Amino acid sequence: MPTVSRPLTPAGRRVLDVASELFYERGIGAVGMELIAAEAGVTKKTVYDRFGSKEALVLAYLRARDERWRAYLTSRIENAGGARERILATFDALGDWLRTESARGCAMVNALAELPDHAHPGHRAAADQKAWLRTLYAELAREAGVNESLADKLMILHEGAVVTFSVAGQQNAAALAREAADALLPHPAT
């Protein structure tokens, strides 16, 4: 399966940008290559020449979104104070991301729901992103000197906040998850 291994041409960038917006807003299965080509102002041949298949375009979309999320989250963590604050910063970052980038929920969870075949490269990319997040929480828990099992609880709070925000419309879901995380973390002795 071809993947994007060379820099994108301007047309390729337009295709990926349009496909990313359409896949996120309408769903992967609901968007065809014809629509992507038309919206990007290119021929269907250009889409296939650049990406090879819809599967490869879906993978490029998920990887690009994952890279943006990881960069965003890690920069927010790096700017936080101590180990405890770094954990709580993940929820602050999540809240901001949800308000600006994820009104329709988590692109990775949406992709996992649409691509149930574990062998699909898009499914693997989305599952890898969730595994990365779990590992990040484990690392942050170790830095904070707490049991790594806290990572599972933090992950559940994180994912629950995403669903509560996008499905239930709870605008402060990440802030509530942050409060719950704060309660789980040991407080410094005063």
Side-chain angles (χ1 to χ4, degrees), residues 27-108:
I28 293 166
V31 175
M33 298 296 261
E34 298 83 9
L35 177 61
I36 293 167
E39 293 287 321
V42 300
T43 65
K44 205 161 86 166
K45 180 182 181 323
T46 299
V47 177
Y48 282 105
D49 284 348
R50 185 58 198 104
F51 293 95
S53 66
K54 182 177 179 181
E55 187 176 88
L57 184 53
V58 167
L59 180 59
Y61 149 65
L62 292 171
R63 283 182 175 165
R65 189 161 177 106
D66 181 32
E67 287 172 15
R68 279 187 22 243
W69 165 243
R70 289 184 195 211
Y72 181 80
L73 184 59
T74 56
S75 73
R76 294 288 296 267
I77 292 168
E78 289 167 0
N79 291 324
R84 189 173 200 290
E85 291 75 23
R86 289 166 53 86
I87 290 172
L88 297 176
T90 66
F91 294 97
D92 297 332
L94 176 62
D96 292 341
W97 181 267
L98 288 171
R99 282 186 294 282
T100 61
E101 302 288 334
S102 288
R104 200 175 158 269
C106 176
M108 301 304 150

Side-chain angles (χ1 to χ4, degrees), residues 2 6 14 21 23-24 26 39 47 55 58-59 65 71 83 86 97 115 137 141 146 152 166 181 183 189:
R6 60 187 187 266
R14 270 195 325 275
E21 183 177 329
F23 288 153
Y24 184 73
R26 298 184 188 183
E39 293 287 321
V47 177
E55 187 176 88
V58 167
L59 180 59
R65 189 161 177 106
R86 289 166 53 86
W97 181 267
L115 306 170
Y137 276 126
V146 295
D152 292 322
S166 61

